[in-house]
Amino acid sequence: MLSALQGVFGARHRWLPALVREVRSVYRTPPQDAPRELAAIIRHSQPFLDAVGRAEARGRPLAVLRYPITAEAPAQPPVAPGPTPATPGPIPATPAALAALLGVTPGELDWLADVRAYNRRARPGALHLYRYEWRLRPGRCPRLLEVPTERMRRVQRTLLHEVLALLPVHHAAHGFVTGRSALTGARVHSGSAVVISLDLTTFFARVTAAGVYGSLRRAGFSEAVATTITGLTTNRVPPRVISAMPPGGGPDERFALRQALATAHLPQGAPTSPALANGAIRRLDARLEGYAAAVGARYTRYADDLVFSGPVALQRRAEAFVRGVTRLVDDEGHEVNPRKSRVSPASTSQRVTGIVVNTGSSLPREEFDRLKALLHNCATLGPASQNRAGVPDFRAHLLGRISYSSSVNPLKTRRLIREFNSIDWGVPRE
């Protein structure tokens, strides 16, 4: 270390050994994957500050002979404290290795990562990485879709399948996780005395770059690679887009949305956002699961939908329980939408992600009846008369809806299959 410092400053200054001793007192092993952290420690060390002070008193800055550039990193970078990836797999050790994996050059990777937020300040044009679409929601705050360009989306999809699929996910998360679904999450709460459903406001926009970076570091990514991936998957919305926000929602809600969009966050519209949100929110999942277990309740999350269920004792103290959950959510930087909070006792229709879970799992009665009536009309009047939306492959569309119903409740779906088999898909009837 002393030799490296001498190479940088071109001489063996008297304060360099003291600086080396201070750095070694912080690190027991070489900080090979944390250059920014090491630089911060050196910058604030007393020997370095004293040397800078003496140089300023002389009116001459510290001379730097050369800036060493390290192109390679260790094949197995030290893992930061925290859980390791659930499935072993290749983790890119350097930004250059990440660029090769994504099929771009290092220069293109720097441009796409945009860690200095040049896109936010640039004029509108072809070089922007996202396009923006405001969506109105009656009586509610509008939603902003941040759609990546084709080139950016292609790189993000590769990143999702080749790298982010290795990130550990809390077992309570059922959205955007291989082998889990809305159905697996709903079945956890079947046959409960009470079901409590809560919704998180502006979920993706509130997952910040710091949260994404922290989850990547805990998963074992080096500092440089974690910084690059964070830049690739987060976005800061340009002021011109935020100022064009259409009407809707209260002043506080609109202000919070503007603040979240102006900060580096997960864009709603990027293919990588769901997986990274699951990783960044693992701490909240763990805290909510522990809070629920303390009162004998169960907890699952599907994207921004939080669901709890439990015995009669939970039903009796449901309001206090919701207040406790709200405090935990606020403490993690998110916010519960009070308009979407529901407490459903067993005497009412208990629904989790659109699935009725009072006894077993089934589609809501009105949804099942609508599909049954549609199939019956197709059989009696012809399928063309019922395809009012102009679906290109109406037969496949109906099969998809029947398949979903069968996954929820196979026994009840037999009636739908009989109706479907009676449809004549030949010449449309008059």
Side-chain angles (χ1 to χ4, degrees):
M1 187 183 300
L2 185 59
S3 176
L5 288 171
Q6 291 173 3
V8 170
F9 292 103
R12 181 165 181 171
H13 296 283
R14 294 181 179 179
W15 51 273
L16 290 180
L19 175 61
V20 169
R21 287 193 295 270
E22 186 160 330
V23 172
R24 286 178 57 84
S25 69
V26 175
Y27 292 104
R28 294 185 178 180
T29 58
Q32 293 169 316
D33 71 329
R36 298 172 190 267
E37 182 182 82
L38 175 60
I41 289 174
I42 292 176
R43 187 167 60 250
H44 293 93
S45 67
Q46 196 57 50
F48 182 73
L49 291 175
D50 292 342
V52 171
R54 289 191 295 269
E56 290 179 348
R58 293 194 304 266
R60 292 181 299 174
L62 286 176
V64 176
L65 180 65
R66 67 185 183 93
Y67 294 88
I69 299 175
T70 303
E72 299 295 331
Q76 298 292 334
V79 177
T84 56
T87 305
I91 294 179
T94 65
L98 178 63
L101 181 65
L102 299 178
V104 296
T105 66
E108 289 173 323
L109 182 64
D110 288 342
W111 170 57
L112 292 170
D114 191 27
V115 294
R116 297 185 181 274
Y118 292 128
N119 263 249
R120 185 172 190 269
R121 302 188 296 271
R123 299 176 183 176
L127 294 180
H128 273 265
L129 302 174
Y130 291 87
R131 59 180 178 84
Y132 303 94
E133 300 176 12
W134 282 106
R135 296 292 176 88
L136 291 173
R137 298 188 293 174
R140 300 172 59 191
C141 199
R143 172 178 294 163
L144 180 65
L145 294 184
E146 304 166 59
V147 184
T149 61
E150 180 59 34
R151 190 177 193 181
M152 183 67 153
R153 182 164 55 249
R154 185 170 62 250
V155 170
Q156 288 177 339
R157 282 175 178 164
T158 304
L159 179 67
L160 173 64
H161 296 305
E162 299 294 336
V163 179
L164 301 184
L166 304 175
L167 290 179
V169 177
H170 195 275
H171 57 262
H174 288 261
F176 318 108
V177 180
T178 303
R180 307 179 203 172
S181 64
L183 180 59
T184 61
R187 283 176 173 167
V188 172
H189 306 283
S190 178
S192 301
V194 63
V195 173
I196 301 174
S197 302
L198 306 173
D199 180 81
L200 299 180
T201 301
T202 57
F203 175 56
F204 288 118
R206 288 178 179 269
V207 179
T208 64
V212 173
Y213 176 82
S215 67
L216 293 172
R217 290 288 286 150
R218 288 191 294 272
F221 291 84
S222 69
E223 182 181 278
V225 173
T227 300
T228 303
I229 293 178
T230 301
L232 278 173
T233 56
T234 59
N235 182 44
R236 296 177 177 91
V237 178
R240 58 181 173 80
V241 177
I242 297 177
S243 62
M245 180 190 299
D252 292 342
E253 189 177 7
R254 292 174 63 85
F255 176 78
L257 179 59
R258 286 196 296 267
Q259 292 292 102
L261 294 177
T263 307
H265 63 280
L266 290 180
Q268 184 165 348
T272 50
S273 292
L276 287 170
N278 280 338
I281 207 172
R282 285 189 74 216
R283 174 182 161 91
L284 176 60
D285 284 335
R287 296 182 70 181
L288 292 178
E289 183 187 48
Y291 184 71
V295 295
R298 296 177 292 273
Y299 163 69
T300 63
R301 179 180 58 81
Y302 188 89
D304 57 354
D305 292 327
L306 314 179
V307 183
F308 305 86
S309 64
V312 176
L314 177 63
Q315 181 181 350
R316 292 171 180 165
R317 60 186 303 265
E319 291 186 7
F321 181 81
V322 170
R323 288 196 298 270
V325 170
T326 302
R327 286 194 296 269
L328 291 177
V329 170
D330 291 344
D331 189 50
E332 292 294 326
H334 289 269
E335 182 180 354
V336 171
N337 186 349
R339 292 193 296 269
K340 287 193 173 183
S341 300
R342 300 185 305 276
V343 178
S344 306
S347 57
T348 64
S349 177
Q350 297 174 324
R351 301 188 184 189
V352 178
T353 57
I355 299 172
V356 178
V357 295
N358 291 71
T359 55
S361 60
S362 62
L363 290 178
R365 180 183 295 274
E366 62 274 14
E367 185 176 340
F368 181 87
D369 290 344
R370 281 196 302 268
L371 180 55
K372 183 182 177 184
L374 175 62
L375 293 171
H376 176 75
N377 290 339
C378 286
T380 57
L381 303 175
S385 66
Q386 303 303 305
N387 188 11
R388 298 183 178 91
V391 178
D393 192 342
F394 192 50
R395 188 175 188 275
H397 170 75
L398 293 179
L399 281 173
R401 294 177 64 176
I402 293 172
S403 177
Y404 176 69
S405 176
S406 178
S407 68
V408 175
N409 192 325
L411 185 62
K412 195 175 180 180
T413 307
R414 292 177 181 176
R415 286 177 282 176
L416 301 180
I417 297 175
R418 287 195 296 268
E419 290 282 3
F420 179 84
N421 290 334
S422 65
I423 298 175
D424 181 6
W425 294 96
V427 179
R429 303 179 184 181
E430 296 294 336

